[in-house]
Amino acid sequence: MAETSTRTEADDAGPEQPEARVGWRYTLTQVRRDPTALAGLVLIAFMTVVALIGFVDGVVFDFLSEYAVFADMGVRQYWLAETVWVNPATDPANARILRPPVGLTNPYYPNEPGTMAHPLGTDHRGRDILARLFYGTRIAITVGIVSTGIAMFLGTFVGAVAGYYGGWIDDALMRGSETLYAIPFLVLVIAFMTAFGRNLTYAMIGVGIATIPTFARLIRSRVLSVREEDYVEAARAAGVRDRNIIMRHVIPNSFAPVLVQATLQVGVNILIIAGLSFLGYGAQPPTPSWGQMLNNSRDYMLPNPWFSIWPGIAILITVVGFNLVGDGLRDALDPRINN
Amino acid sequence: MGRLRYTISRLLQAIPVILGVITITFLLTDAIPGDPVSIMLGPSPSAQQAAAIRAKFGLDQPLHIRYLNYLVDVIQLDLGTSLYYQVPVTEKIAERLPITLYLLLSSFTFALLTAVPLGIISAKRRNTATDHVSRVVALFGVSTPSFWIGLMLIIVFSYWLGYFPATNLILPWTSPSQIDGASTQVDVIVKSIHHLILPTITLGTLQMAAFTRIERSSMLEVLGEEYVKLARAYGVSERTILRKHAFRNAQLPLITLVGLQLTSALGGAVLTETVFSINGMGRLIITAIQNQDFQLVMGTTLVFGLVFVIGVIVTDLSYAYVDPRVSFEDSE
Amino acid sequence: MSDEPLLKVENLKTQFFTEEGTVRAVDGISFEVNEGEIVGLVGESGAGKSVATSSIMRLVEDPGEIVGGTVTYKGKKIVDFEEGPDGELRQSPEMLSNEEMRKQIRGKEIAIIFQDPMEALNPVFKVGGQLREFIEINRNVSSEQAEEIAVDMLREVGIPEPEKRYDSYPHQFSGGMRQRVLIAMALACEPDLIIADEPTTALDVTVEGQIIDLVEDLQEKYGTSFIWVTHDLGVVAEITDRVNVMYLGEIIEQADVEDLFYNTKHPYTDALLDSIPRPDQSVGELKPITGVMPEAINPPSGCRFHTRCPEARTVCKEVHPTHEDVSDALESSHRVSCLKYENVGYDEAEPLDTEATDAFGGGLVEARGEEQ
């Protein structure tokens, strides 16, 4: 049926090319141009450095301080050391252990302001808060990334299988993840941890597993749309095996939204695990995690409210960082081209 | 007709999900280690007593029998007895559930009432100062731990300024005799609201921020749609376009998000209740798990799951109400 | 029937200010629409046709802006720019304000039919309600009267069971039906000018035929003028009275439809006509126009078409043609922008080496304006 329209060579170019994988260079340029995303990267970089310092102190120094030669030099694990300012045995008001930040005073002891030795103050056992925050950063970032990683890999697998094969496999997996979703997240993980162990490792695993549905659903919808693309059919017609099709075509094309989700999810998971620690289901004392520090601070809100403030700010900075980067990535990878 | 049929089918679909919730609850609870017998009788029970307890609670039966027994019980609304509290589970839940629901409803309402206008204004005044401020606020809202907000609110408004109480939640229909300082029902209601404010803000901030972000981006997207351009081309005023043509369509992603947020809100409720020492379902479930109170754990998890399922159904139906494409499938 | 044209566009200029540069989407076009006329606006994608129609409705969105020209409709100045004291063009006080445009012109006097009927109807409202709302706004009638008119209009455009269909949602209609609804919307408001922006592009050919027949009938009945935007010359031949051919933001040929087809003056129009496959002829190979339309950010120097013109000469690269009337004795106004018809030394100049004058099948070459 002849169509009387104007034809140009553009129409003769041949079948449409598959949706191009968004180039990394292009994405990076977009992100580089976006000031808020850059700010987010700065924050994350900052926190990573802090985490590294925490790692050095918590692990390296801890290891080295075992040896007399280093201990004599003054190498010691800073965050754990209980630098008790006043002997609680002789001073019944152990509120004095809680030093306020530099320049401020504890309302019970107005004559003893905070000093630079403990710039953010000390906690209820005399330990320096700043040092504990440093260590907590490492925990938070590690835990956020590992749990997201677990969810991402397993979720991608589940979602890819469900989306590609469809049928009853799809139904079963989707119903399964929906039911998993129906039980409150926190409750699920707490039950998991009560069953297996109340420490950080199981927190990571538990949160990771509970986050699988998010990624599964994402990948599944991407797979469903990519599956219909011509080049996938062409590959199948050419005899390429299903597994290879998934690995080589489907997953790379679905990567962009997954990356965005993963970045945002790290932030979310940090919040969740902070909540778990707050309830006592995370890092066990004396390991400092931010949530746990906040839990401890509850009993001391009057003498030293600052104890409650700093860990929250640390969480805030870190999560804001991940959110900014995630948002920036999402904007950069948005295929919609503005005029 | 399409909508009615959709509603019914949706309700029917809920049944297998509920069944799934019951099953998972059962299995999870079973996985929790700990011997309920030693909890009840102390560390060294006599063999006879132990056997008696086991028989009484049916703990000696194999897994599938216990499962079926449980299923039967649930259908008859018998959720067992709490080991720790020594009262029927249903009683404990009835005591605590309204409080948590009160909190949840209040925080969602707060979140929606603030987020929707904020998001719309942000979209309308894109890239102006108002927009930037609201985006920053929303960003911080989703990045801040809710329990920390609670702590901060308590420090500032409770301890420092003394405006609001730091603990407990009172239901507005409690009788005045049960509350000190309240002589009439109106007093109770006032006190109830007074206690409600800080926990609401604590739980609702995260939702509010998330909803604002979605509302804004959704509105922006809708405002760029062809049908909005058409309305403009026919002389419809900007106000009417916002209020009528764009508004309805923009709510759709928000409704979906509300459904998804339910599960995190239930978790947030647990945290909020802990911070404010509120005797709600959240704390109940944690206590139950810690005490390995199997019946109570199963009962509360089940109820939570049910609440969630109902919530999802409500959101699905709302979505279908707004978007006729979902329920009216026919086309010529 | 008065002598004054219904719509008079003079030197309209619209530009988009983007990060990559200023896009001169519409760069000084002029044409007229008389009462009862159907005027075609033809061109490839990217020529600026949609921007032109949006400009007439004053619906150009950020980052676009109308920057010059005059558009007069029934004596009112929809667009009017004058030269300010600093030589810069600025909006004259006679130009209608946005509020005036909204209340007086849009929908009421000039209506528009969009290209994609799938997207143009609001999915969450009933079709009848949307129709009724527009009618209420643009005609002085009550709600009940508007509903009656809406149902009548649906019937007029050939939608069966219009009372029932009034309560249907857009997704319950097929593409062709939806386009009929959009036509009904436009006609129901009783404007004197309807702009149809590629209304049949998204439809099947058979449906397209029905829609065109419908429009012809309605046009005879109501006497509405049309601006019909399309890239399909077949439709142009069927329905239009006069045609404007656009290329890269400019109108390069204007004539009555028969003159355009049988007495083509511009090489571009020639090439367009040549490229149409004809069912009554079999050819060895098709003759597309080589190359792709350049981007409007940096148009080619001189005559904008010279990069793809089979008749290009060196002078075409240097001199920008003026739009002149070259009608033969019996024709009504026939205007063209081509150096062939001007006295600038076209005949003496050497032929230019372009993609078109090169061997056949130049491949997908994107011509940019920086040819040295």
Side-chain angles (χ1 to χ4, degrees):
Chain A
M1 180 87 206
E3 194 189 73
T4 57
S5 64
T6 55
R7 285 170 58 103
T8 62
E9 205 148 273
D11 294 332
D12 295 331
E16 265 185 51
Q17 298 305 313
E19 181 188 291
R21 232 173 286 177
V22 182
W24 287 113
R25 216 173 301 151
Y26 172 73
T27 315
L28 284 175
T29 345
Q30 288 293 91
V31 173
R32 219 183 306 148
R33 277 200 216 160
D34 183 357
T36 48
L38 284 178
L41 281 173
V42 165
L43 286 176
I44 294 182
F46 173 67
M47 284 324 235
T48 312
V49 167
V50 168
L52 280 171
I53 297 178
F55 173 74
V56 166
D57 180 66
V59 173
V60 175
F61 284 1
D62 178 35
F63 178 72
L64 293 178
S65 64
E66 303 276 314
Y67 298 93
V69 56
F70 293 109
D72 289 342
M73 280 198 281
V75 171
R76 61 169 177 50
Q77 203 179 23
Y78 186 47
W79 62 267
L80 191 52
E82 299 197 15
T83 55
V84 179
W85 171 48
V86 159
N87 187 345
T90 54
D91 188 337
N94 61 3
R96 276 179 110 186
I97 293 184
L98 283 160
R99 298 215 56 168
V102 55
L104 298 164
T105 50
N106 178 325
Y108 291 104
Y109 296 93
N111 295 323
E112 292 157 25
T115 64
M116 274 308 286
H118 301 286
L120 295 183
T122 59
D123 72 359
H124 61 302
R125 302 187 77 158
R127 298 173 291 206
D128 181 62
I129 289 182
L130 184 62
R132 301 199 97 213
L133 286 182
F134 268 57
Y135 197 83
T137 311
R138 169 188 155 221
I139 292 180
I141 295 188
T142 315
V143 139
I145 293 182
V146 171
S147 62
T148 306
I150 295 176
M152 192 168 81
F153 284 113
L154 292 180
T156 305
F157 177 69
V158 168
V161 165
Y164 192 74
Y165 290 112
W168 67 267
I169 302 181
D170 183 23
D171 277 337
L173 285 171
M174 280 304 112
R175 295 293 144 255
S177 79
E178 258 180 43
T179 359
L180 205 66
Y181 218 57
I183 301 172
F185 200 81
L186 231 53
V187 172
L188 203 61
V189 179
I190 290 177
F192 179 83
M193 289 175 70
T194 314
F196 291 98
R198 275 168 82 155
N199 59 37
L200 218 49
T201 318
Y202 287 109
M204 276 194 291
I205 298 176
V207 173
I209 294 180
T211 317
I212 288 178
T214 314
F215 286 96
R217 202 169 305 149
L218 191 62
I219 287 277
R220 176 178 174 270
S221 72
R222 290 291 301 178
V223 167
L224 283 178
S225 55
V226 167
R227 190 173 69 168
E228 306 305 318
E229 297 274 354
D230 291 336
Y231 61 91
V232 172
E233 261 196 61
R236 209 184 297 149
V240 182
R241 265 199 307 218
D242 281 352
R243 191 178 55 222
N244 286 337
I245 296 183
I246 296 183
M247 292 297 298
R248 227 176 296 152
H249 296 282
V250 170
I251 292 193
N253 270 303
S254 319
F255 203 60
V258 168
L259 188 62
V260 172
Q261 182 65 35
T263 313
L264 296 172
Q265 196 70 39
V266 173
V268 170
N269 283 2
I270 291 178
L271 283 177
I272 292 174
I273 294 185
L276 284 170
S277 303
F278 180 71
L279 293 173
Y281 286 86
Q284 296 305 309
T287 314
S289 74
W290 294 335
Q292 194 216 93
M293 287 170 76
L294 284 171
N295 189 11
N296 293 331
S297 77
R298 289 183 69 199
D299 296 327
Y300 305 99
M301 284 198 275
L302 280 177
N304 190 0
W306 295 97
F307 188 11
S308 313
I309 297 181
W310 304 119
I313 293 187
I315 300 178
L316 181 59
I317 295 179
T318 316
V319 177
V320 164
F322 280 100
N323 275 334
L324 283 174
V325 173
D327 278 350
L329 275 175
R330 189 200 288 141
D331 289 340
L333 289 168
D334 191 339
R336 245 173 298 155
I337 307 166
N338 295 319
N339 196 347
Chain B
M1 246 312 112
R3 288 207 176 117
L4 187 59
R5 213 181 320 145
Y6 181 77
T7 311
I8 295 178
S9 98
R10 203 60 197 82
L11 287 172
L12 287 176
Q13 277 177 35
I15 297 179
V17 180
I18 296 178
L19 216 60
V21 173
I22 299 178
T23 313
I24 292 195
T25 312
F26 182 81
L27 290 171
L28 260 183
T29 325
D30 211 56
I32 298 180
D35 192 2
V37 178
S38 39
I39 294 175
M40 283 187 281
L41 297 177
S44 318
S46 77
Q48 216 182 8
Q49 286 175 308
I53 294 280
R54 273 190 228 283
K56 178 178 175 205
F57 284 99
L59 293 169
D60 48 351
Q61 310 271 28
L63 189 71
H64 51 279
I65 304 261
R66 278 189 282 141
Y67 176 61
L68 286 169
N69 282 337
Y70 183 63
L71 214 52
V72 169
D73 286 337
V74 169
I75 296 178
Q76 295 175 329
L77 294 179
D78 171 17
L79 294 170
T81 314
S82 157
L83 288 171
Y84 183 71
Y85 292 102
Q86 293 293 310
V87 293
V89 168
T90 27
E91 188 182 306
K92 209 69 200 147
I93 292 181
E95 184 187 303
R96 303 280 192 110
L97 185 63
I99 296 183
T100 305
L101 288 180
Y102 187 43
L103 178 63
L104 282 172
L105 212 66
S106 157
S107 67
F108 265 101
T109 311
F110 160 72
L112 285 172
L113 287 179
T114 22
V116 170
L118 211 59
I120 294 180
I121 294 177
S122 215
K124 203 173 101 170
R125 308 215 186 143
R126 185 187 194 178
N127 287 333
T128 61
T130 325
D131 182 26
H132 288 308
V133 166
S134 101
R135 288 179 77 186
V136 168
V137 168
L139 176 68
F140 275 64
V142 293
S143 311
T144 321
S146 62
F147 54 96
W148 185 67
I149 295 179
L151 291 175
M152 293 296 107
L153 288 174
I154 289 180
I155 291 178
V156 173
F157 289 101
S158 233
Y159 288 172
W160 207 16
L161 294 173
Y163 288 167
F164 295 101
T167 51
N168 282 327
L169 205 54
I170 302 175
L171 291 169
W173 53 78
T174 335
S175 84
S177 53
Q178 293 176 340
I179 318 280
D180 332 309
S183 33
T184 65
Q185 196 64 42
V186 178
D187 282 341
V188 175
I189 293 179
V190 169
K191 264 188 168 311
S192 167
I193 296 180
H194 203 214
H195 280 261
L196 187 61
I197 294 189
L198 292 187
T200 302
I201 299 179
T202 305
L203 184 55
T205 301
L206 182 74
Q207 269 109 36
M208 179 200 75
F211 293 165
T212 308
R213 275 151 70 102
I214 277 263
E215 180 74 23
R216 176 186 182 274
S217 73
S218 176
M219 202 45 151
L220 281 177
E221 193 179 322
V222 166
L223 285 175
E225 292 278 3
E226 283 289 288
Y227 49 83
V228 166
K229 292 189 193 161
L230 188 74
R232 244 182 234 134
Y234 275 89
V236 180
S237 72
E238 278 306 301
R239 249 191 64 214
T240 314
I241 287 184
L242 252 182
R243 190 173 47 85
K244 187 171 156 198
H245 292 260
F247 182 76
R248 259 192 150 187
N249 282 282
Q251 301 324 304
L252 295 174
L254 181 66
I255 296 178
T256 312
L257 185 68
V258 169
L260 290 175
Q261 275 287 332
L262 275 173
T263 185
S264 84
L266 290 173
V270 169
L271 291 167
T272 309
E273 286 176 15
T274 309
V275 170
F276 288 91
S277 308
I278 294 175
N279 286 326
M281 283 282 285
R283 293 227 304 180
L284 185 63
I285 214 173
I286 303 296
T287 320
I289 294 178
Q290 282 169 341
N291 293 321
Q292 292 165 349
D293 191 344
F294 299 103
Q295 306 275 29
L296 191 56
V297 171
M298 289 199 283
T300 42
T301 316
L302 182 60
V303 169
F304 255 147
L306 228 82
V307 168
F308 175 76
V309 168
I310 294 177
V312 169
I313 292 180
V314 168
T315 32
D316 277 354
L317 292 177
S318 311
Y319 192 98
Y321 178 74
V322 172
D323 187 351
R325 289 171 287 191
V326 174
S327 38
F328 294 92
E329 289 293 340
D330 12 53
S331 69
E332 297 276 308
Chain C
M1 275 268 215
S2 70
D3 273 346
E4 275 299 307
L6 187 65
L7 178 79
K8 187 163 168 172
V9 177
E10 293 167 281
N11 207 19
L12 180 64
K13 291 192 186 162
T14 305
Q15 296 176 353
F16 284 82
F17 301 99
T18 68
E19 277 175 13
E20 286 96 33
T22 307
V23 182
R24 293 150 64 180
V26 174
D27 217 7
I29 60 172
S30 307
F31 66 95
E32 288 167 9
V33 181
N34 293 308
E35 284 179 41
E37 232 188 0
I38 300 186
V39 170
L41 191 57
V42 183
E44 295 171 76
S45 318
K49 321 185 286 292
S50 289
V51 178
T53 53
S54 302
S55 304
I56 294 175
M57 295 286 277
R58 291 261 301 274
L59 284 174
V60 180
E61 288 174 14
D62 233 14
E65 230 184 278
I66 305 178
V67 296
T70 307
V71 176
T72 319
Y73 177 84
K74 284 190 183 171
K76 299 187 198 167
K77 300 273 182 205
I78 291 183
V79 171
D80 196 18
F81 279 79
E82 61 186 12
E83 218 173 283
D86 46 358
E88 293 278 305
L89 284 175
R90 60 156 192 228
Q91 293 181 7
S92 92
E94 280 187 30
M95 184 162 142
L96 293 180
S97 73
N98 217 5
E99 261 307 282
E100 288 166 333
M101 275 301 293
R102 180 178 79 77
K103 289 196 180 143
Q104 297 172 19
I105 306 288
R106 293 194 194 126
K108 205 155 152 194
E109 293 281 356
I110 308 180
I112 193 163
I113 300 175
F114 280 148
Q115 174 177 343
D116 196 345
M118 304 273 272
E119 304 290 320
L121 291 172
N122 194 328
V124 301
F125 292 117
K126 293 186 187 161
V127 159
Q130 297 183 46
L131 247 180
R132 195 202 64 221
E133 179 186 5
F134 292 163
I135 296 174
E136 256 184 87
I137 294 179
N138 292 307
R139 288 171 66 171
N140 231 343
V141 291
S142 70
S143 209
E144 295 81 23
Q145 287 173 310
E147 185 167 333
E148 264 183 54
I149 298 173
V151 172
D152 283 337
M153 218 58 232
L154 286 176
R155 190 177 297 120
E156 278 267 7
V157 295
I159 292 178
E161 293 182 296
E163 295 89 357
K164 224 176 84 173
R165 290 315 216 144
Y166 184 88
D167 284 323
S168 301
Y169 289 97
H171 69 275
Q172 293 172 299
F173 285 75
S174 69
M177 301 261 265
R178 271 181 252 196
Q179 194 58 288
R180 289 174 196 256
V181 170
L182 289 179
I183 295 174
M185 267 179 191
L187 286 169
C189 297
E190 292 191 337
D192 283 326
L193 173 65
I194 293 182
I195 301 179
D197 194 344
E198 303 208 45
T200 51
T201 307
L203 302 174
D204 277 343
V205 197
T206 33
V207 179
E208 181 179 53
Q210 294 169 357
I211 299 287
I212 291 180
D213 286 339
L214 172 67
V215 170
E216 281 181 319
D217 290 339
L218 294 171
Q219 202 257 344
E220 252 185 66
K221 182 169 172 188
Y222 293 97
T224 324
S225 309
F226 275 79
I227 297 181
W228 197 281
V229 179
T230 180
H231 60 265
D232 187 336
L233 286 170
V235 171
V236 168
E238 242 193 281
I239 201 174
T240 60
D241 298 321
R242 256 185 95 71
V243 187
N244 300 301
V245 182
M246 267 187 90
Y247 186 82
L248 210 54
E250 298 176 322
I251 293 183
I252 47 101
E253 187 163 4
Q254 274 178 327
D256 283 350
V257 64
E258 276 158 18
D259 292 336
L260 192 83
F261 276 80
Y262 294 114
N263 195 4
T264 322
K265 302 267 184 197
H266 198 285
Y268 177 60
T269 321
D270 237 342
L272 282 182
L273 290 168
D274 272 347
S275 70
I276 301 174
R278 295 179 53 158
D280 59 334
Q281 290 176 355
S282 42
V283 292
E285 79 185 11
L286 294 171
K287 294 202 288 182
I289 307 180
T290 45
V292 165
M293 186 181 301
E295 291 180 19
I297 276 187
N298 211 351
S301 57
C303 167
R304 295 190 180 180
F305 184 56
H306 81 254
T307 54
R308 302 160 77 192
C309 183
E311 301 177 49
R313 305 257 175 110
T314 46
V315 62
C316 297
K317 202 166 69 171
E318 285 139 37
V319 184
H320 188 258
T322 46
H323 200 57
E324 291 184 353
D325 198 334
V326 296
S327 35
D328 302 334
L330 297 170
E331 285 179 326
S332 42
S333 162
H334 186 152
R335 306 172 87 94
V336 134
S337 289
C338 183
L339 294 184
K340 281 195 331 193
Y341 305 95
E342 291 183 41
N343 259 336
V344 289
Y346 174 82
D347 304 310
E348 299 85 36
E350 287 289 303
L352 197 56
D353 232 2
T354 69
E355 304 149 28
T357 53
D358 266 347
F360 18 81
L364 257 187
V365 178
E366 218 178 47
R368 298 217 175 256
E370 313 98 8
E371 285 190 11
Q372 292 309 319

